[in-house]
Amino acid sequence: MVVEALTEVIAPEGVKARLVATRSSDITLPHAEKTDGRIVPLKHPAESKVDFGAEVYGIDLNQLTDADFELISDALHRHKVLIFKEQPEMLKPQQQYLLTANFDPDETTGGFAHGADPFLTSHNGVNIYGIQSRPALPVQPQVHILGRGEVPEDHYQFPPGFKVKGIDHHEFHLPPHIPKEEREKGASRFYQWHWDGALYNIPPPRVGCLLAVRTPKGPDVTVRWDDGTETEMKIPPGATAYVAGSRALELLDEETRHIAFHSRIEYAPHAFKWMSTAHSARLGHILETEGLELPREKLPPIDESKICIYPMVWTNPKTGEKSLQVHGQGAVKLYLKSSPDGEEKIVDDLKEVRDFMHKIMRPAISPENIYAHPHQEQDVVLWYNRALWHSITEFPESYGPRIMHQCNIAASDHPSG
């Protein structure tokens, strides 16, 4: 699985892994008295229930100042997704890291949000770390390449013809899968609904940042729910789909909403290694309960103190808005309460856990609640990772490569509600 679809990297025994270089002690932005930035809220179709997202004009992210960042930070917490338009040139990896790191000045290591990257390959004396679906840029190892297909020529010290391995729901979703001939005609799926985070030990990032380097070219694809509802949605190829946790919370019935406000979720240690042998539901929001997860004895060593137990509802620190922030595939135990002083019910049967996760997640994953962002080359997308769920989507290989630069950084704190 790629980072947009969430991964945990564990270097095989005997394989060198590099911890991301320690963050520079100085991430101070150049000072400016004012910004020329303009925030323009997105206009969604009349039938849409989406109420987030904005475009940003007038800010060159390669020349980012403290005044620019103040505007960006306030806008991001209010709009949740920002799309930076009219960038004069591609965002440099160092500047992408600088933008991302400034959202968490208390974070001191600058560590990649999913742990150490193993050695991948070398070219012209330069070592490249990561995995084939998510290699790191040597010039800024917190920035990774995602997508599918061949990277541009002379791309940041990568060898000629280097190809990024893309997602394939055949490798992860419950059969039956979409036949190849239908996929080449534009049939697609949401791969995995999630927020970025390791789910074990490492605090989830506050923000995520994507630069579109190369985007697929072709007609819209048709995303299939394939959950018996016959629901479909047309979206641009290679789009990143977003759902607001606030909308997910709003859609719960009153009783379930009370439970969500006072309950917690325990996530599997080494969650992505654990689920690597299991099947996702075809909608990409939970795992199927087939007993296929890796048993504990086949996982890396587990430190019980590093197991993550998070509240179901997280609070936006600037707006106070509440969001249902849950990861259905990584959940292994529920601590359910309907009031602050109510009796806590522990649910550790995986089938029951997943039934509950489906109950609280499925209402939000409907076309009217989804914003599928159409990436345009050189645009930058910044999202507030602690208030949104997102998923990547498949597209025909004939549409060409999708090459993205993603930066996310482990936060200085775990979510506390």
Side-chain angles (χ1 to χ4, degrees):
M1 286 176 282
V2 295
V3 171
E4 279 184 286
L6 282 181
T7 66
E8 174 186 41
V9 174
I10 300 168
E13 186 177 358
V15 175
K16 181 180 178 182
R18 179 183 60 169
L19 292 173
V20 170
T22 301
R23 172 179 176 174
S24 168
S25 60
D26 184 10
I27 60 165
T28 304
L29 294 167
H31 176 66
E33 293 297 327
K34 64 183 183 68
T35 177
D36 294 324
R38 294 182 292 110
I39 309 298
V40 181
L42 292 179
K43 294 182 179 179
H44 299 286
E47 65 274 14
S48 174
K49 301 295 185 184
V50 175
D51 62 355
F52 60 87
E55 293 180 335
V56 183
Y57 296 87
I59 292 178
D60 179 356
L61 292 175
N62 282 318
Q63 304 294 328
L64 188 66
T65 70
D66 56 359
D68 293 332
F69 182 78
E70 185 176 351
L71 176 74
I72 291 168
S73 179
D74 287 343
L76 185 67
H77 285 86
R78 186 167 69 254
H79 295 287
K80 302 169 194 167
V81 173
L82 298 180
I83 303 101
F84 293 83
K85 307 294 291 185
E86 300 178 354
Q87 293 297 294
E89 59 180 345
M90 286 284 180
L91 178 61
K92 294 178 174 63
Q94 298 89 337
Q95 288 296 121
Q96 187 171 3
Y97 169 70
L98 187 64
L99 168 64
T100 308
N102 265 275
F103 279 92
D104 194 356
D106 294 330
E107 206 288 312
T108 57
T109 66
F112 172 50
H114 294 268
D117 275 331
F119 174 79
L120 178 61
T121 187
S122 62
H123 177 62
N124 287 341
V126 175
N127 288 338
I128 297 172
Y129 293 79
I131 54 180
Q132 197 71 30
S133 60
R134 200 220 55 239
L137 296 178
V139 296
Q140 192 69 58
Q142 297 92 341
V143 178
H144 293 79
I145 303 178
L146 304 178
R148 185 181 68 203
E150 189 171 318
V151 302
E153 187 176 356
D154 298 325
H155 193 69
Y156 292 101
Q157 302 171 297
F158 276 79
F162 185 93
K163 291 185 177 181
V164 178
K165 183 181 184 294
I167 62 167
D168 187 336
H169 79 274
H170 282 239
E171 299 173 0
F172 186 41
H173 285 198
L174 183 75
H177 303 123
I178 300 174
K180 183 176 180 179
E181 59 271 19
E182 294 181 30
R183 296 170 76 185
E184 274 304 311
K185 292 179 181 178
S188 179
R189 278 194 186 163
F190 296 118
Y191 186 75
Q192 183 184 60
W193 286 103
H194 66 282
W195 37 263
D196 286 336
L199 304 181
Y200 174 71
N201 183 31
I202 304 171
R206 294 184 181 176
V207 303
C209 185
L210 272 178
L211 162 68
V213 178
R214 295 286 185 272
T215 58
K217 308 299 191 295
D220 286 355
V221 300
T222 301
V223 179
R224 299 177 179 177
W225 268 237
D226 282 345
D227 63 351
T229 64
E230 299 185 0
T231 305
E232 294 183 344
M233 180 181 186
K234 284 194 174 295
I235 66 169
T240 303
Y242 294 93
V243 163
S246 56
R247 176 65 177 163
L249 186 62
E250 177 186 330
L251 289 170
L252 299 180
D253 63 75
E254 187 174 357
E255 179 182 358
T256 307
R257 194 180 308 116
H258 278 296
I259 293 172
F261 268 115
H262 305 293
S263 298
R264 300 172 296 153
I265 300 174
E266 180 174 321
Y267 293 102
H270 305 295
F272 303 103
K273 184 81 171 175
W274 170 77
M275 72 173 72
S276 63
T277 49
H279 286 126
S280 167
R282 299 181 192 102
L283 184 50
H285 64 315
I286 58 173
L287 296 180
E288 295 290 334
T289 306
E290 305 170 285
L292 298 178
E293 299 82 8
L294 279 178
R296 277 205 169 203
E297 60 268 21
K298 292 187 177 181
L299 293 173
I302 295 169
D303 182 338
E304 297 290 332
S305 70
K306 295 179 178 179
I307 290 175
C308 292
I309 303 176
Y310 294 150
M312 292 185 185
V313 176
W314 301 0
T315 303
N316 185 316
K318 288 199 174 186
T319 68
E321 183 180 59
K322 306 290 185 180
S323 295
L324 182 70
Q325 288 298 102
V326 298
H327 194 299
Q329 293 181 345
V332 293
K333 188 182 292 187
L334 305 176
Y335 301 85
L336 303 180
K337 292 172 67 174
S338 58
S339 66
D341 301 320
E343 182 180 353
E344 186 171 74
K345 176 185 177 183
I346 297 177
V347 178
D348 57 8
D349 177 86
L350 278 177
K351 179 67 166 60
E352 291 183 40
V353 169
R354 288 162 182 165
D355 285 348
F356 185 85
M357 300 307 292
H358 173 79
K359 178 182 179 180
I360 62 175
M361 294 183 74
R362 179 59 183 87
I365 310 173
S366 292
E368 69 272 14
N369 303 316
I370 296 170
Y371 169 59
H373 177 68
H375 293 284
Q376 302 293 319
E377 291 176 5
Q378 213 155 294
D379 284 356
V380 175
V381 180
L382 187 71
W383 71 93
Y384 186 47
N385 186 53
R386 297 190 172 191
L388 294 172
W389 318 342
H390 64 277
S391 176
I392 41 178
T393 51
E394 296 181 309
F395 59 91
E397 288 194 40
S398 60
Y399 286 15
R402 179 184 189 265
I403 302 297
M404 316 291 286
H405 288 182
Q406 185 189 49
C407 183
N408 62 25
I409 302 169
S412 59
D413 62 340
H414 289 278
S416 59

